[in-house]
Amino acid sequence: MHFLRVFLVITLLVVPITGVTAQHAPGHHGHGPYAGMERREIKSLSNEDIAELRRGGGWGTALPAELNGFPGPAHLIELKDKLGLSGEQVHAIEAMHAQMKADAIAAGERLIAAEKALDAAFVAGGLTKEKLRTLITAAEAARADVRFVHLSRHLETPPLLKPEQIDQYNRLRGYGSDPCVSVPAGHDPVMWRRHNNCK
């Protein structure tokens, strides 16, 4: 009986110590993947995300179109000479791009404001599930608006282009090759590698 009591005491003392030691074993530095993000102004958005949204950038939202043969107006303008776009094509695409950028900036500001409100609600405390649902709905509606602005413009470009221009666009953008080897012109390298799961 005495032996059993001693065994239990030793077990209770050793198990917690072993657990703590395992957390600080070599290779484990006690930092989670979000370490440092607590210093962000808006926890769910990096400074790069906010800058991208405020300039009306694609933020990776147009990938379903861009990578399936629906060129983006911004990149078409950048590549207009290499694609041999006519003056009429350039005029139409530039007008589309100007409107897209204005709409994207407005939608981006709504998303930033919605994410800021969600963040602030957690800071303030007293957040209910009902209020949380409302805040999430507003943020996701704004995010959907950002995606729609970009994807819908990509949807409009193919009728303005010849099939060979779309093929050339895809080649110039490096599609069909390893996306991690080189970042296409006009893309932020960090965002590009993140969206393409590059190491």
Side-chain angles (χ1 to χ4, degrees):
M1 189 70 176
H2 176 72
F3 171 79
L4 181 60
R5 209 174 294 138
V6 170
F7 175 78
L8 286 174
V9 168
I10 291 172
T11 302
L12 289 172
L13 288 173
V14 170
V15 169
I17 292 171
T18 305
V20 171
T21 305
Q23 288 180 358
H24 297 285
H28 184 91
H29 304 293
H31 292 160
Y34 307 132
M37 291 184 184
E38 73 280 1
R39 293 189 291 274
R40 289 177 174 180
E41 179 187 356
I42 302 172
K43 306 302 182 284
S44 56
L45 297 173
S46 69
N47 289 338
E48 292 80 10
D49 291 333
I50 293 170
E52 177 83 351
L53 290 166
R54 285 194 164 144
R55 73 172 186 82
W59 204 44
T61 58
L63 291 179
E66 175 73 13
L67 301 179
N68 281 300
F70 292 78
H75 299 308
L76 284 169
I77 293 167
E78 291 167 4
L79 299 170
K80 62 184 178 182
D81 295 331
K82 292 181 179 178
L83 294 172
L85 298 183
S86 68
E88 187 178 345
Q89 285 176 311
V90 171
H91 178 74
I93 293 166
E94 284 179 341
M96 181 192 300
H97 179 255
Q99 187 60 57
M100 179 189 77
K101 188 162 186 173
D103 293 345
I105 289 171
E109 288 294 348
R110 289 196 299 275
L111 176 56
I112 291 166
E115 290 291 343
K116 190 171 186 176
L118 181 58
D119 199 61
F122 276 96
V123 172
L127 183 60
T128 64
K129 288 185 178 179
E130 292 73 20
K131 178 62 175 174
L132 177 60
R133 174 67 69 183
T134 300
L135 290 167
I136 291 172
T137 299
E140 292 310 308
R143 188 180 301 269
D145 286 346
V146 170
R147 294 195 79 192
F148 180 78
V149 166
H150 289 283
L151 284 167
S152 64
R153 292 329 193 278
H154 280 251
L155 194 62
E156 294 172 3
T157 60
L160 301 174
L161 303 166
K162 297 174 183 176
E164 55 268 28
Q165 289 174 322
I166 295 175
D167 290 342
Q168 176 69 351
Y169 175 91
N170 289 331
R171 281 194 295 275
L172 290 169
R173 299 282 292 153
Y175 304 146
S177 59
D178 185 351
C180 300
V181 171
S182 61
V183 179
H187 273 283
D188 175 82
V190 174
M191 296 291 284
W192 174 264
R193 290 192 173 91
R194 182 188 304 164
H195 291 138
N196 286 283
N197 298 315
C198 301
K199 300 296 183 188

Coordinates of all heavy atoms in Angstrom, one line a residue, residues 4-5 42 50 56 61 67 79 88 98 100 104 113 117 129 131 141 143 147 150 152 165-166 168 188 190:
L4 N 2.3 1.8 -3.4 CA 1.3 2.3 -4.4 C 1.2 3.8 -4.2 O 1.1 4.6 -5.1 CB 0.0 1.6 -4.2 CG -1.1 2.0 -5.1 CD1 -0.7 1.8 -6.6 CD2 -2.4 1.3 -4.8
R5 N 1.1 4.3 -2.9 CA 1.0 5.7 -2.6 C 2.2 6.5 -3.1 O 2.1 7.5 -3.7 CB 0.9 5.9 -1.1 CG 0.0 7.1 -0.7 CD -0.2 7.2 0.8 NE -1.0 6.1 1.3 CZ -0.8 5.5 2.4 NH1 0.2 5.8 3.2 NH2 -1.6 4.5 2.8
I42 N -5.4 45.7 -37.5 CA -6.5 44.8 -37.7 C -6.0 43.4 -37.8 O -5.2 43.1 -38.7 CB -7.2 45.2 -39.0 CG1 -7.7 46.7 -39.0 CG2 -8.4 44.3 -39.3 CD1 -8.2 47.1 -40.3
I50 N -3.9 45.4 -46.4 CA -4.6 46.6 -46.4 C -4.1 47.5 -47.6 O -4.9 48.1 -48.3 CB -4.3 47.4 -45.1 CG1 -5.1 46.6 -44.0 CG2 -4.9 48.8 -45.1 CD1 -4.7 47.0 -42.5
G56 N -6.7 49.0 -54.8 CA -7.6 48.4 -55.7 C -7.0 47.2 -56.4 O -7.5 46.7 -57.5
T61 N -7.9 37.5 -55.5 CA -9.3 37.1 -55.6 C -9.7 36.7 -57.0 O -10.8 36.0 -57.2 CB -10.2 38.3 -55.2 OG1 -9.9 39.4 -56.1 CG2 -10.0 38.7 -53.8
L67 N -6.5 32.2 -64.0 CA -5.8 30.9 -64.3 C -6.6 29.9 -65.2 O -6.2 28.8 -65.4 CB -5.4 30.2 -63.0 CG -4.4 31.0 -62.1 CD1 -4.1 30.3 -60.8 CD2 -3.1 31.4 -62.9
L79 N 0.7 44.4 -71.0 CA 1.3 43.6 -72.1 C 0.7 44.0 -73.4 O 0.9 43.2 -74.4 CB 0.9 42.1 -71.8 CG 1.5 41.5 -70.5 CD1 0.9 40.2 -70.2 CD2 3.0 41.5 -70.6
E88 N -8.5 50.3 -80.4 CA -9.8 50.1 -79.9 C -9.9 49.1 -78.7 O -10.6 49.4 -77.8 CB -10.7 49.5 -81.1 CG -12.2 49.4 -80.7 CD -13.0 48.9 -81.9 OE1 -12.5 48.9 -83.0 OE2 -14.2 48.5 -81.7
A98 N -10.2 51.2 -65.3 CA -10.4 52.4 -64.5 C -11.7 52.2 -63.6 O -11.6 52.5 -62.4 CB -10.6 53.7 -65.4
M100 N -13.0 49.3 -62.8 CA -12.7 48.2 -61.9 C -11.9 48.7 -60.7 O -12.2 48.3 -59.5 CB -11.9 47.1 -62.6 CG -11.5 45.9 -61.7 SD -10.4 44.8 -62.5 CE -8.8 45.7 -62.3
A104 N -13.1 48.5 -57.0 CA -12.3 47.7 -56.1 C -11.9 48.5 -54.8 O -11.9 47.9 -53.7 CB -11.1 47.1 -56.8
A113 N -13.0 48.2 -43.2 CA -13.9 48.8 -42.1 C -14.6 47.6 -41.4 O -14.7 47.6 -40.2 CB -14.9 49.8 -42.7
A117 N -14.2 46.6 -37.5 CA -15.3 46.5 -36.6 C -15.4 45.2 -35.9 O -15.6 45.1 -34.7 CB -16.6 46.8 -37.3
K129 N -23.3 36.2 -29.6 CA -23.3 35.4 -30.9 C -24.1 36.1 -32.0 O -23.7 36.1 -33.2 CB -23.8 34.0 -30.6 CG -22.8 33.2 -29.8 CD -23.4 31.8 -29.7 CE -22.4 30.9 -28.9 NZ -22.9 29.5 -28.8
K131 N -24.6 39.4 -32.4 CA -23.8 40.5 -32.9 C -22.6 40.0 -33.7 O -22.3 40.6 -34.8 CB -23.3 41.4 -31.7 CG -22.4 42.6 -32.1 CD -23.2 43.6 -33.0 CE -22.3 44.8 -33.3 NZ -22.9 45.7 -34.2
A141 N -19.7 39.9 -46.8 CA -20.4 40.5 -47.9 C -19.4 41.5 -48.6 O -19.3 41.6 -49.9 CB -21.6 41.3 -47.5
R143 N -16.1 41.2 -48.6 CA -15.1 40.3 -49.2 C -15.7 39.8 -50.6 O -15.0 39.8 -51.6 CB -14.7 39.2 -48.3 CG -13.6 38.3 -48.8 CD -13.3 37.2 -47.8 NE -13.0 37.7 -46.5 CZ -11.7 37.9 -46.1 NH1 -10.7 37.8 -46.9 NH2 -11.5 38.4 -44.9
R147 N -14.2 40.3 -54.5 CA -14.0 39.3 -55.4 C -14.9 39.5 -56.7 O -14.4 39.3 -57.8 CB -14.4 37.9 -54.8 CG -13.6 37.5 -53.7 CD -13.8 36.0 -53.4 NE -13.0 35.2 -54.3 CZ -13.2 33.9 -54.5 NH1 -14.1 33.2 -53.7 NH2 -12.5 33.2 -55.4
H150 N -13.4 42.1 -59.2 CA -12.3 41.6 -60.0 C -12.7 40.5 -61.0 O -12.4 40.5 -62.2 CB -11.1 41.1 -59.1 CG -10.5 42.3 -58.5 ND1 -9.6 43.1 -59.1 CD2 -10.6 42.8 -57.2 CE1 -9.1 44.0 -58.3 NE2 -9.7 43.9 -57.1
S152 N -15.6 39.7 -62.2 CA -16.6 40.1 -63.2 C -15.9 40.8 -64.3 O -16.2 40.7 -65.5 CB -17.7 41.0 -62.6 OG -17.1 42.2 -62.1
Q165 N -4.5 36.0 -78.9 CA -4.0 37.0 -77.9 C -4.2 36.4 -76.5 O -3.3 36.7 -75.7 CB -4.8 38.3 -78.1 CG -4.5 39.1 -79.3 CD -5.4 40.3 -79.5 OE1 -6.6 40.3 -79.2 NE2 -4.8 41.4 -80.0
I166 N -5.2 35.7 -76.3 CA -5.4 35.0 -75.0 C -4.3 34.0 -74.8 O -3.7 33.9 -73.7 CB -6.8 34.4 -74.8 CG1 -7.9 35.5 -74.9 CG2 -6.9 33.6 -73.6 CD1 -9.3 35.0 -74.9
Q168 N -1.3 34.0 -76.1 CA -0.1 34.7 -75.9 C 0.0 35.3 -74.5 O 1.0 35.2 -73.8 CB 0.1 35.8 -77.0 CG 1.3 36.7 -76.8 CD 2.6 35.9 -77.1 OE1 2.6 34.7 -77.3 NE2 3.7 36.7 -77.1
D188 N 2.9 41.4 -56.9 CA 3.7 41.5 -55.7 C 4.3 40.1 -55.4 O 3.5 39.1 -55.3 CB 2.8 41.9 -54.5 CG 3.6 42.0 -53.2 OD1 4.3 43.0 -53.0 OD2 3.5 41.0 -52.5
V190 N 5.6 38.6 -52.8 CA 5.1 37.9 -51.6 C 3.7 37.4 -51.7 O 3.4 36.2 -51.4 CB 5.2 38.9 -50.4 CG1 4.6 38.2 -49.1 CG2 6.6 39.3 -50.1

